[in-house]
Amino acid sequence: MTSETLPLENAILAAWHQNAQPWTQAVREQRIESRRLVTDRAVVEAIMACAPKRVIDIGCGEGWLTRVLTGQGVEVIGVDAVAALIETARVHGGGRFEHLSYAQLAAGMLGERADVVVCNFSLLGKPSVESLLAAVPGLLNHGGVLVVQTLHPLMACGDQPYRDGWREGSWAGCGEGFGTPAPWYFRTLSGWLDTFTACGLRLIRVDEPLHPDSGRPASILFVLTPAHSA
């Protein structure tokens, strides 16, 4: 991790530590329109289409996805680097929750495997994400897949140049009570594909869930498998 990226990676974690409580409220109260109308359902359907018995939810936050999947008969381990979010998730139950950073996951500290690993809007950094993705094959059972849902590059680019790079964050659309937003590393579509390839992953499906009002993509969903399983 370079001296340039380390402060930005640290700022991501600092922002999520600071904003754990308002984020929990935003999720619980379904304040975020795109999640309420499109993306929550899209990621659940993508996971359940794989018929998993066990799922690892990386960046699980306050645990909504873990609870939904558990309610559908799946064994789920939710993992997050923010202790306050994990504590909230444990209080509400619906799965097993572990407080681990992406570096700890990449180092093998979870010690578990699953049929599906999911990262739902939880891949924000650059080197931290690359290290995590490179470790995903070690978290998957034979035949397992990684499901990634993230901002659609074309929709998220705004007026800025369409090239990979760090961007300022925003809590727009999340409601009141938030402090400093987390920075994030923007990837073009080719940037995502290059990252997956470099991390030993092979793309098997792409979905672009559409917002019912605008007709534009609300997110992009990647389904991947370890390249060595090809």
Side-chain angles (χ1 to χ4, degrees):
M1 198 174 296
T2 68
S3 58
E4 177 186 356
T5 60
L6 180 57
L8 292 165
E9 294 277 352
N10 289 340
I12 294 173
L13 275 178
W16 279 97
H17 283 294
Q18 178 189 2
N19 293 285
Q21 193 274 334
W23 175 255
T24 296
Q25 278 189 278
V27 172
R28 296 268 167 90
E29 296 172 8
Q30 296 191 316
R31 295 180 189 171
I32 306 169
E33 183 189 61
S34 60
R35 290 187 174 232
R36 185 176 68 249
L37 296 180
V38 188
T39 63
D40 284 1
R41 181 177 66 254
V43 73
V44 172
E45 290 178 351
I47 295 167
M48 295 307 295
C50 302
K53 294 181 179 178
R54 197 179 209 213
V55 171
I56 298 172
D57 179 8
I58 297 179
C60 66
E62 55 73 61
W64 79 268
L65 179 56
T66 297
R67 291 191 297 274
V68 169
L69 296 173
T70 299
Q72 298 196 33
V74 182
E75 179 187 356
V76 189
I77 304 171
V79 183
D80 204 283
V82 179
L85 291 173
I86 288 295
E87 289 167 9
T88 299
R90 286 173 176 163
V91 167
H92 287 80
R96 169 184 156 196
F97 296 96
E98 298 292 342
H99 176 219
L100 292 170
S101 69
Y102 286 6
Q104 289 171 319
L105 281 172
M109 291 182 65
L110 181 61
E112 302 283 358
R113 289 178 180 263
D115 306 306
V116 172
V117 169
V118 57
C119 299
N120 187 50
F121 294 108
S122 60
L123 300 180
L124 300 178
K126 187 180 188 300
S128 61
V129 166
E130 292 165 358
S131 296
L132 174 68
L133 291 175
V136 163
L139 296 171
L140 289 171
N141 291 327
H142 179 72
V145 300
L146 168 66
V147 175
V148 172
Q149 181 167 223
T150 190
L151 297 172
H152 195 290
L154 285 177
M155 298 299 104
C157 188
D159 296 329
Q160 298 189 53
Y162 188 70
R163 59 172 178 260
D164 295 0
W166 286 95
R167 302 280 175 94
E168 292 184 3
S170 171
W171 298 113
C174 296
E176 302 297 323
F178 286 88
T180 304
W184 61 292
Y185 190 79
F186 173 83
R187 289 176 176 84
T188 61
L189 181 57
S190 61
W192 276 114
L193 298 181
D194 288 346
T195 297
F196 293 141
T197 299
C199 293
L201 298 165
R202 178 174 61 91
L203 185 68
I204 56 176
R205 192 170 79 246
V206 176
D207 292 323
E208 298 171 286
L210 301 180
H211 193 287
D213 296 332
S214 69
R216 297 187 175 204
S219 66
I220 191 165
L221 268 159
F222 301 102
V223 181
L224 305 112
T225 191
H228 63 70
S229 68

